[in-house]
């Protein structure tokens, strides 16, 4: 089967002006096996480490994605 991941380069502050993005991620959460927000794992969305982290969480190898 397939496992899916939503990777969001998100701010921790989902306050004024960012509420819609946070609400959208919350609605989408149930449609993905894994939701990673960069602010919650301590890496930016452009950091290669976040992709390694996603692979580890999904128990997948790079060639499988």
């Amino acid at each position: 089967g397939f496992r899916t991941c939503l990777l969001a380069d998100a701010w921790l502050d989902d306050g004024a002006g960012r509420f819609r993005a946070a609400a959208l991620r919350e609605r989408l959460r149930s449609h993905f096996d894994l939701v990673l927000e960069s602010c919650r794992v301590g890496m930016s969305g452009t950091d290669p480490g976040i992709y390694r982290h996603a692979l580890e969480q999904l128990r997948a190898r790079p060639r499988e994605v």
Side-chain angles (χ1 to χ4, degrees):
F2 288 93
R3 289 174 295 208
T4 58
C5 175
L6 171 66
L7 180 58
D9 193 12
W11 293 92
L12 188 55
D13 175 18
D14 288 329
R18 294 185 182 90
F19 177 75
R20 286 187 188 138
L24 176 60
R25 279 193 308 278
E26 213 36 55
R27 281 190 302 238
L28 290 173
R29 190 172 295 277
S30 65
H31 298 283
F32 292 89
D33 297 305
L34 175 65
V35 175
L36 283 179
E37 295 174 277
S38 59
C39 61
R40 303 206 189 277
V41 294
M43 295 177 242
S44 74
T46 58
D47 183 342
I50 201 166
Y51 300 104
R52 284 191 294 273
H53 182 71
L55 289 171
E56 289 171 8
Q57 294 294 310
L58 291 169
R59 290 182 230 116
R61 287 175 266 172
R63 69 171 195 232
E64 297 175 322
V65 297

